[in-house]
Amino acid sequence: MNDHFIERAFSLAEEGVGKVSPRPSVGAVIIKDNRIISEGRTDPQPGNHAEVNAINACNEDLDNSVLICTLEPHSYHGITPPCTEAIIKSGIKKVICPIEDPNPKVSGNGFRQLQYAGIEIERNFSKINISRAKKIIEGFEKSLFHKIPFTSIKIASSLDGKTSTNSNQSKWITSEESRKYGRLLRTKYDAVMTGINTIESDNPQLTFRDNNGNNTGYPRYKIVLDSNGKINEKAKIFDSNEKTIIFTTKKNNINFQKNNLQIFEVEKVDGRTNLDQVMRIINNLGIHKILVESGNILSTELMKKNFIDKVYYFIAPKIIGGGKMSVGDLGVKTIQDIIKLQDIEYKNLDEDILISGYLKEKE
């Protein structure tokens, strides 16, 4: 199979990440006579899945065609009928797919239904492509098995790990290219989460705008942890139409209303919002992937409680000395306790370096 076709299916799936939760994002292309005759990607609920969108979009005869999809076709009656039914009825003769759906309701049943109907299944993918397919659904899978969202943290600091000077100046330590890339990351997550201290000090809007300066509507959710209900109703986070969710221990302190504002009162733990409660509520809202952009208090607490799955660390070739550290005390006593990353990637952004990787489980 031509790698170009597989690449297109992956690209479609990756375009949907951050846009379709609680569904997993899937890409699908249909091939006939060595050319793509149709393609599709997952719609947000209650729309169609990628495979059905590709079938419906096709204006040619599908007999003896080949479907490439990035995740095993859905095989049960849920919000939409099974994709397997549409595939079987379409005339597609072969399905090429790298991974099973981890959902126990599917988990191989989609492939078995197709094979029983006489459709050939091919799963001969490289380890790199299998890994890529799994990363696309990492939020879906984390939610499915752990009932909390997949959580990444974005940190920008000087070479000596400082996020501001002694006088709290932080604009700008990293380059414009780094900041632009950091904003782009927001579109790959269902939500951006921050703390009230960041809202008060930086007053961010936490959105992503296109090249013309127009708001794209992503990420779809903005989350603020505000234990004492201090948020100002004029904060810029309310300036756009994405849903804003506030977690607080003093709901009555927030005595204003905004469009698309939702407030949850949670228990207080050590003077702060109960993070275990917060994460479970976020997951129950269908938010499966969040990016944390905050100061070191929230970042440190999330790391200490093992909620962080991935780190994006932007490092500028500058030395501040003094100032605020990017991460606070994690209680590390020995070298064996140090948090390590795996699947590490490096990216040059102007003079800066972005190091990203997944937190490695302690042995």
Side-chain angles (χ1 to χ4, degrees):
M1 179 57 61
N2 191 313
D3 287 344
H4 166 72
F5 302 145
I6 295 171
E7 177 62 32
R8 181 57 187 157
F10 276 124
S11 294
L12 288 164
E14 287 164 348
E15 287 171 9
V17 174
K19 301 173 178 64
V20 298
S21 288
R23 289 175 165 174
S25 182
V26 179
V29 295
I30 301 176
I31 312 301
K32 191 171 184 178
D33 298 328
N34 202 35
R35 61 189 176 89
I36 295 176
I37 60 171
S38 189
E39 60 183 37
R41 69 180 188 192
T42 308
D43 287 332
Q45 289 181 351
N48 292 322
H49 291 201
E51 301 92 331
V52 172
N53 278 333
I55 290 169
N56 290 346
C58 190
N59 295 317
E60 299 188 31
D61 184 0
L62 287 170
D63 283 348
N64 296 318
S65 61
V66 176
L67 170 70
I68 301 175
C69 52
T70 57
L71 181 67
E72 177 185 11
H74 161 249
S75 60
Y76 65 94
H77 282 273
I79 292 175
T80 60
C83 294
T84 49
E85 285 185 3
I87 294 168
I88 291 166
K89 292 176 182 177
S90 71
I92 289 170
K93 69 172 183 179
K94 182 176 182 178
V95 171
I96 300 174
C97 181
I99 57 173
E100 284 187 6
D101 188 330
N103 188 344
K105 292 180 180 179
V106 184
S107 194
N109 290 328
F111 290 141
R112 285 189 287 271
Q113 286 180 15
L114 295 174
Q115 287 176 315
Y116 185 77
I119 295 172
E120 181 185 351
I121 302 297
E122 180 182 323
R123 297 184 57 195
N124 185 25
F125 280 72
S126 67
K127 289 182 178 179
I128 292 174
N129 279 333
I130 291 171
S131 175
R132 186 176 178 184
K134 288 181 177 180
K135 285 181 179 180
I136 291 169
I137 65 163
E138 60 193 3
F140 173 74
E141 190 165 21
K142 180 72 181 284
S143 170
L144 188 67
F145 292 113
H146 298 279
K147 309 305 179 188
I148 57 175
F150 180 96
T151 304
S152 297
I153 190 167
K154 187 181 82 174
I155 298 171
S157 82
S158 62
L159 193 60
D160 54 340
K162 305 301 171 63
T163 58
S164 72
T165 65
N166 285 333
S167 59
N168 288 328
Q169 291 184 3
S170 60
K171 296 181 179 178
W172 297 105
I173 292 173
T174 53
S175 67
E176 171 58 29
E177 190 174 350
S178 289
R179 299 195 300 276
K180 183 177 179 180
Y181 189 85
R183 291 190 293 268
L184 181 62
L185 282 177
R186 295 173 182 170
T187 67
K188 299 301 179 183
Y189 287 80
D190 302 324
V192 173
M193 184 165 78
T194 194
I196 187 61
N197 291 339
T198 298
I199 295 295
E200 291 184 327
S201 62
D202 296 345
N203 199 17
Q205 197 167 343
L206 298 181
T207 57
F208 178 74
R209 294 177 177 82
D210 62 23
N211 292 332
N212 296 318
N214 298 315
N215 192 23
T216 62
Y218 298 105
R220 295 177 295 157
Y221 301 89
K222 297 182 280 190
I223 300 170
V224 182
L225 304 193
D226 180 11
S227 57
N228 294 314
K230 298 191 300 179
I231 194 162
N232 190 312
E233 64 178 309
K234 295 182 179 179
K236 287 183 179 179
I237 200 165
F238 300 122
D239 288 352
S240 56
N241 293 324
E242 301 83 13
K243 178 170 280 190
T244 300
I245 301 168
I246 298 176
F247 289 95
T248 183
T249 64
K250 297 181 178 180
K251 187 174 182 178
N252 291 338
N253 283 5
I254 304 173
N255 56 8
F256 59 85
Q257 295 181 342
K258 296 281 186 180
N259 290 334
N260 292 323
L261 171 61
Q262 194 168 9
I263 304 170
F264 289 93
E265 187 167 274
V266 295
E267 297 170 356
K268 182 178 282 191
V269 176
D270 297 327
R272 301 189 182 97
T273 50
N274 184 329
L275 287 177
D276 294 280
Q277 240 184 313
V278 166
M279 289 304 210
R280 305 237 173 239
I281 291 171
I282 290 172
N283 184 71
N284 289 341
L285 291 171
I287 300 170
H288 292 170
K289 204 168 184 184
I290 61 176
L291 178 66
V292 178
E293 299 185 22
S294 71
N296 71 359
I297 294 175
L298 177 56
S299 302
T300 302
E301 288 303 308
L302 288 166
M303 282 194 180
K304 285 170 71 174
K305 294 186 72 66
N306 298 316
F307 282 129
I308 300 299
D309 298 286
K310 188 174 184 178
V311 174
Y312 297 94
Y313 204 122
F314 296 81
I315 303 174
K318 302 169 184 176
I319 297 174
I320 293 176
K324 289 184 179 179
M325 292 297 299
S326 58
V327 181
D329 185 3
L330 295 172
V332 173
K333 302 297 183 184
T334 68
I335 294 297
Q336 286 71 30
D337 293 331
I338 289 175
I339 294 174
K340 299 176 183 177
L341 301 184
Q342 60 186 359
D343 297 331
I344 300 168
E345 296 181 1
Y346 302 89
K347 187 177 184 66
N348 291 316
L349 296 163
D350 198 0
E351 294 180 340
D352 301 342
I353 297 174
L354 168 60
I355 301 175
S356 60
Y358 294 80
L359 269 66
K360 189 174 183 180
E361 291 186 9
K362 293 181 181 178
E363 299 177 355

